[in-house]
């Protein structure tokens, strides 16, 4: 067969990379999430994402309007990974199960908390999640006003993350601790006391972020029990 015939057959028979990829909005979000998990949210660009998918950058605009739409879609897709089916005995156990499940998702996608905070409008998955939280509280006996207070009290913890005032999860080396004592011991004694306490040689030991999150969550849930006007559930 002639070379010209080979070219024609190739042109007709090869669907090309874009058709092989079967690009959809869900596939775009999946690839973008994988890219952000690997390289961080700052790595996301339409050009880089197109390279990951093996398509031309312009092909992405069939499925996302712009980069903001892409980031919003990624964030909502991650929130959609939080299982909303709960089997806890009572509102407190159910809400605790839900929030800790959300935390597990956030730990798998470390960029997601920052993306959530940048969202201006919640997507479908976010609305479904919030509706689940509201349902747990309302069906657990909370009034509308109490439920509103609970949302503000829990804040971002509802989605499994929080922004602490400072990060004390590090384990300072002995020489760093000694330097801190020399520099700040006289002027800021309680800062130094806490910094020393959370080091491996201190009284508290290294900070367990997961344990601290659970401790705070349980404390808030106990407080909500008192807000409701009844004894705290065990």
């Amino acid at each position: 067969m002639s070379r010209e015939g080979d070219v024609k057959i190739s042109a007709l028979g090869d669907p090309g990379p874009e058709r092989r990829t079967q690009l959809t909005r869900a596939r775009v979000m999946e690839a973008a999430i994988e890219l952000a998990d690997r390289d961080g949210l700052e790595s996301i660009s339409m050009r880089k994402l197109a390279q990951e998918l093996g398509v031309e950058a312009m092909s992405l605009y069939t499925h996302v309007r712009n980069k903001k739409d892409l980031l919003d879609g990624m964030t909502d897709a991650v929130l959609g990974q939080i299982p909303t089916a709960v089997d806890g005995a009572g509102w407190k156990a159910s809400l605790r199960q839900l929030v800790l499940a959300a935390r597990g998702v956030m730990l798998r996608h470390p960029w997601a908390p920052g993306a959530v905070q940048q969202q201006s409008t919640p997507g479908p998955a976010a609305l479904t999640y919030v509706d689940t939280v509201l349902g747990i509280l309302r069906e657990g006996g909370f009034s509308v006003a109490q439920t509103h207070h609970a949302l503000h009290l829990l804040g971002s913890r509802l989605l499994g993350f929080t922004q602490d005032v400072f990060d004390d999860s590090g384990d300072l080396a002995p020489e760093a601790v000694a330097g801190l004592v020399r520099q700040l011991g006289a002027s800021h004694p309680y800062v130094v006391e806490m910094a020393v306490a959370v080091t491996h040689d201190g009284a508290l030991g290294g900070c367990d972020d997961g344990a601290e999150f659970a401790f705070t969550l349980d404390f808030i849930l106990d407080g909500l029990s008192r807000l409701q006007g009844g004894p705290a559930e065990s």
Side-chain angles (χ1 to χ4, degrees), residues 14-210:
D14 184 359
E18 293 190 29
R19 289 183 61 188
R20 286 197 299 269
T21 303
Q22 296 182 336
L23 207 60
T24 63
R25 182 176 173 88
R27 175 65 188 124
V28 170
M29 298 308 162
E30 180 185 2
I33 289 169
E34 291 172 357
L35 180 59
D37 288 346
R38 188 183 72 226
D39 298 334
L41 194 62
E42 65 278 2
S43 69
I44 298 297
S45 70
M46 303 299 267
R47 180 185 62 80
K48 182 72 177 292
L49 181 57
Q51 291 175 348
E52 291 286 312
L53 287 163
V55 301
E56 295 294 329
M58 289 303 296
S59 300
L60 297 178
Y61 290 98
T62 303
H63 307 283
V64 293
R65 293 187 297 276
N66 47 43
K67 185 175 179 181
K68 182 182 183 304
D69 185 35
L70 173 64
L71 295 176
D72 286 347
M74 292 168 59
T75 304
D76 203 56
V78 167
L79 295 180
Q81 296 176 13
I82 304 171
T84 54
V86 292
D87 54 9
W91 69 265
K92 184 190 288 189
S94 294
L95 191 53
R96 189 179 195 276
Q97 178 184 341
L98 190 67
V99 170
L100 292 181
R103 180 166 177 77
V105 171
M106 291 297 150
L107 291 175
R108 292 199 300 271
H109 307 288
W111 54 270
V116 167
Q117 291 173 317
Q118 293 174 25
Q119 261 194 325
S120 56
T121 305
L127 288 174
T128 296
Y129 182 82
V130 171
D131 192 69
T132 300
V133 171
L134 296 176
I136 289 172
L137 291 168
R138 291 289 288 123
E139 292 174 18
F142 286 81
S143 69
V144 173
Q146 289 170 339
T147 299
H148 182 244
H149 286 316
L151 287 182
H152 282 282
L153 183 62
L154 285 158
S156 66
R157 285 186 177 84
L158 279 176
L159 293 173
F161 69 92
T162 186
Q163 182 63 53
D164 290 324
V165 175
F166 60 92
D167 180 9
D168 65 349
S169 60
D171 190 8
L172 297 178
E175 57 272 18
V177 173
L180 192 63
V181 171
R182 287 194 302 271
Q183 294 174 23
L184 299 177
S187 58
H188 300 80
Y190 297 111
V191 170
V192 171
E193 177 187 51
M194 182 60 65
V196 171
V198 298
T199 64
H200 64 283
D201 290 327
L204 300 180
C207 179
D208 183 335
D209 188 60

